[in-house]
Amino acid sequence: MAEQIAVEVTRFSPERDKTPSIQSFDVPLRKEWVVLDALNYIKDKVDGSLSFRWSCRMGVCGSCGMMVNGEPKLTCATFLTDYAPGPVRIEPLKNFPVMRDLIVEINDFLGKLSKVKPWIIRQKEKPVTEGEYLQTPEQLDTYKQFSMCINCLLCYAACPVYGLDPMFSGPAALALAQRYNMDSRDEGKEERMDILSQHDGIWGCTFVGECTQVCPKHVDPAGAIQQYKLTATQEWFKSFIMPKGAK
Amino acid sequence: MLDISSHDVLLIGGGGAGLRAAIAVAETNPNLSVAVISKVYPMRSHTVSAEGGAAGVIGKNDSLDEHCYDTISGGDWLPDQDAVEAFVKEAPLELMRLEHWGCPWNREPDGHIAVRPFGGMKKERTWFAADKTGFHMLHTLFQTSLKYDAVARYDEYYATKLLMDDGQVQGAVAVELSSGKVQAITAKAVIICTGGCGRVFPFTTNAAIKTGDGMALTYRAGAPLKDMEFIQYHPTGLPFTGILITEAARAEGGYMLNKDGYRYLQDYNLGTPQPTPVLRSMELGPRDRLSQAFVKEFERGRTVEGPYGAVVHLDLRHLGEKKIEAKLPFVRELCLKYENLDPVRELIPVRPVVHYVMGGIHTDLNGATPLQGLFAAGEAACVSINGANRLGSNSLTECLVFGARAGRAAAEFASVQRPPGRHLLAQAAEEEERLQDRFLNKSGGRERIATLREEMQKTMEQSAGIYRSGESLQHAAGKLRELQERFEDIGLDDHSRAFNTELVAALELASMLDVAESVIQCALQRQESRGAHQRTDFPARDDQKYLAHSLVSRQADGSPVVSYAPVTITRWPPAERVYGK
Ligand SMILES: Cc1cc2nc3c(=O)[nH]c(=O)nc-3n(C[C@H](O)[C@H](O)[C@H](O)COP(=O)(O)OP(=O)(O)OC[C@H]3O[C@@H](n4cnc5c(N)ncnc54)[C@H](O)[C@@H]3O)c2cc1C
Ligand code: SF4
Ligand code: FES
């Protein structure tokens, strides 16, 4: 018999349970297995009703974020052996409502993402037949990092501000807003500023920086928020010294 | 409880093809309401995993004809040449449109788009965003789609059936995963963009969601699938996980080495080794030929035995850390994470892995299927531009070009149709009952999903792998019939409604079994070797009999039957495929 590890997972069915509970399964401890492999082992061999999301199992689709021993992780990129001899506890991402077992409701994020207008805004579009908008590698570098976000939402699970104030747009949405603000092809910065300053938006962030620490793609949302605040402050000043429309 | 909603155009699938199509509908006729159903949030679609790049002629020394020729010869003369010509012509414009929408393409120092070489391509024409091209394309499309109010989304809905009225497709039935509610979504036109079916094989680069659902939906509705026998093995997958090491690694100069450190491809009519990459030669030969060379090396005892079977090595060490970081950062990330090795200093173990299906839903150049009101695009469809072997970096572009074409055609079709009637609700109610009786409320089923799935995958690998024979395919056909029967006795552990992922797994298995049968049947009937379809009992290409598309349809008893349709030849008469010269 191969070595085993105890995997404790959150179980919750909205049809049956009032509160979530923990169930433990013994799973073979194989050196090449990630945490997600353990969950699939349980689902395939032991209990087909265990529910969780996954797809690419190569750390790029952003589906499989869960709390592993209390830390937000991509389960397809987190090795089981790192938690030997166990037990290892798998819970749904913190700060989100739980829908079933390890699945959380993320529509709140999608709403927030739409709100920051994460697309190129231009006063005038040129026809595609006229070719590309030139962008040097240096210009690309100014926003590239923020464009690496896979929407896995580990940063929301780590964010103490989002935990307390669900109105907060949150790290990934702000990083993506900044991704477009910094793109040399974009002319929508002011429009985005206006939206964000309508409510607490970025001002809620206290720079604890947990988001940046947990981000598996090195997006540095905390850095994005910092940049954002700086520009917002400048814009705010400008609006005092110049009448609207003249900036 | 059954819900009903209606739209003008319904997209099933929100990957690269689906989102491009949705935007095309919204732009063609802003008065139309468009809906996108996706079993995962659209930005999780499999397009996100694509690494290497997307092909489109842009360089001054390149021409549309050369891209056509590479695609047609790469596809072993099975692509339809009118489709290839349309594709090649529209490719650069579609990629440019994505540039305007914000895709972070890599650039030349002067700010122009940069292109890289790719396998089977004679010129450098592959646009790339480092080695996360599909990721950037998908997020660009998804984020851009958010600005169109006309696009409604049904995220995490699973389509189970097409709604039909008098031979015309008028919507679909889908399960809202969060609640388990069954919903009828009617539409004047439906576009299927559900992606490929790599998961019918055990060892694949494909994400869990690639189960051929849309192919199965169409096949069951009575339209044929085309060229399903052509399954692409990618020569460089990581052992155990099947994670892809992009062809860009070879395009940037990587070597393929056997156990003696020898660049073995020179022994397989692919050219002579040079220190730097030569287009259409050696490591930049087409994928079918490279994967076949691996099998031959294995037979000669020149591969390396690893814990998960034989491997060869991909050597990137001579590229240096700087180049690897600039052009192949994801390759490095994946190797470090999953193989615990650094390609800057170490060899990467690789082996062929199921990657792509050339075949799919039979469509014309505008994505129209033989069923009125039904369109298809992307990997789920077969136009065909890929023929017997797809060239790397053509399929992301295909999603854009034919996604846009299908979107425009469906919008025009929908603009002149009357709204579907409410009587379709009865079909949806029937479907709801089927799901309950066969899965949710059923008790006592003795078969487990995972068991049947594993048996199917093993059968496919053993019988329809890189090399096939009549005998192995016959055996597989019988085995798949058996699995279909055993599927009737399936039992679920999960009988709840909210987020029943086991129900999804059962429905996906049903799709895969249908698709697997179509693959085997097409492979059995095609008694020749062409591109990715290599028959040990018929080792030569036979243009007399098989310069033709296989069309496989489902008969009343559920079994598949194959017929043939001619290939369109415009300017490139069939010839020998020559590489390395
Ligand atoms: C690892 C990898 C790397 C690749 N790299 C490249 C590359 O460099 N260049 C290149 O050109 N090609 C590449 N390819 C191929 C290319 O990525 C795919 O062919 C392409 O992305 C397919 O896009 P699609 O839109 O057709 O489907 P997908 O992106 O797979 O999307 C399918 C959609 O359909 C939905 N769906 C499926 N079934 C259902 C259902 N029953 N109900 C509701 N929704 C459903 C899914 O939710 C999803 O939204 C690569 C493929 C792999 C596997
Ligand atoms: S910023 Fe990082 S942690 Fe947050 S969603 Fe994006 S990739 Fe995930
Ligand atoms: S399964 Fe896609 S990120 Fe983990």
Side-chain angles (χ1 to χ4, degrees), chain A residues 58, chain B residues 12-18 37-40 45-47 49-53 118 157-159 193-196 205-206 209-210 213 244 355-356 377-380 390 392-397 399:
Chain A
M58 57 190 277
Chain B
I12 308 183
I37 314 184
S38 178
K39 63 179 173 179
V40 295
S45 301
H46 181 70
T47 297
S49 311
E51 300 171 13
F118 233 66
Y157 276 66
Y158 184 93
C193 299
T194 46
T205 60
N206 284 197
I209 56 172
K210 300 203 71 168
D213 295 345
L244 178 79
H355 186 53
Y356 184 85
E379 194 173 339
R390 166 183 78 105
S393 77
N394 266 352
S395 56
L396 285 173
T397 315
C399 288

Side-chain angles (χ1 to χ4, degrees), chain A residues 148-155 172 214-217 219 221:
Chain A
M148 302 305 276
C149 172
I150 62 171
N151 300 179
C152 66
L153 307 186
L154 300 192
C155 52
V214 299
C215 175
K217 299 290 140 181
V219 173

